[in-house]
Amino acid sequence: MKKGIHPDNYRPVIFKDMSNGDMFLSRSTAKSNETEMFEGQEYPLIKIEISSTSHPFYTGKAKLVDTAGRVDKFMNRWAVMKNKK
């Protein structure tokens, strides 16, 4: 890797998949106010909604974890429209 091409705040960061709790260590410049212990050391923590460990394309499962509740919102709207008829 060439010297001097990365910003000064390019450091090891933990990315945590909030849908299944898996964590992995990578390098990033993303800002974080939280920290967490990983393999005996404390690192900044970045929370993500979905990663390769939970995405259906990588896992081979057809089920998608809906953390935002979009399916529920659609079903509620559909029920209201269905009852109006």
Side-chain angles (χ1 to χ4, degrees):
M1 186 177 341
K2 290 183 179 180
K3 300 286 182 193
I5 62 171
H6 292 294
D8 292 335
N9 63 344
Y10 189 65
R11 72 223 184 280
V13 174
I14 298 172
F15 289 92
K16 183 174 185 177
D17 186 335
M18 298 310 292
S19 64
N20 62 9
D22 283 349
M23 296 188 297
F24 61 93
L25 184 65
S26 185
R27 296 180 63 91
S28 177
T29 60
K31 295 180 181 175
S32 175
N33 295 329
E34 298 180 55
T35 60
E36 188 154 331
M37 294 296 289
F38 186 75
E39 297 179 351
Q41 288 192 310
E42 191 171 14
Y43 297 101
L45 175 67
I46 304 292
K47 295 178 180 176
I48 55 178
E49 299 242 353
I50 196 162
S51 70
S52 61
T53 61
S54 62
H55 194 282
F57 180 80
Y58 296 106
T59 61
K61 297 178 183 174
K63 182 180 177 186
L64 176 64
V65 176
D66 181 32
T67 57
R70 287 173 277 208
V71 173
D72 292 332
K73 288 179 187 176
F74 174 79
M75 295 306 279
N76 291 338
R77 282 191 312 223
W78 177 255
V80 169
M81 290 180 62
K82 189 176 178 182
N83 290 336
K84 284 185 178 181
K85 290 182 181 182

